[in-house]
Amino acid sequence: MDRETRNAAIAAAWILLLFGLAAYFLPTIMLAAGKVSTILAAIVAAIFMVGLFVVLWLRGRSQRKKGL
């Protein structure tokens, strides 16, 4: 495994770990936000999903610029 492959694997592991942890706590966060407003709970879920796609999109752009 060369350096760039290892760095890509580490970055992917961090992304999976952080979003996995966020997904684990998402129902609790949504229930707490739902006590304030149901719309707020929906916004929290939407931010989570959009955030995942934005991170993956930015990672892809970064890799494409590097020519990987």
Side-chain angles (χ1 to χ4, degrees):
M1 181 181 285
D2 64 344
R3 183 176 180 205
E4 291 192 22
T5 306
R6 185 181 69 232
N7 288 344
I10 292 170
W14 274 108
I15 291 169
L16 284 173
L17 179 73
L18 291 175
F19 276 98
L21 197 60
Y24 179 78
F25 289 110
L26 187 62
T28 306
I29 295 168
M30 286 183 63
L31 286 172
K35 289 182 181 178
V36 175
S37 168
T38 54
I39 295 173
L40 182 60
I43 290 171
V44 167
I47 288 172
F48 174 78
M49 292 305 297
V50 169
L52 176 62
F53 286 110
V54 166
V55 167
L56 293 175
W57 175 70
L58 288 173
R59 178 90 177 123
R61 278 188 60 177
S62 172
Q63 293 299 316
R64 205 169 24 251
K65 282 184 181 179
K66 290 181 183 178
L68 295 177

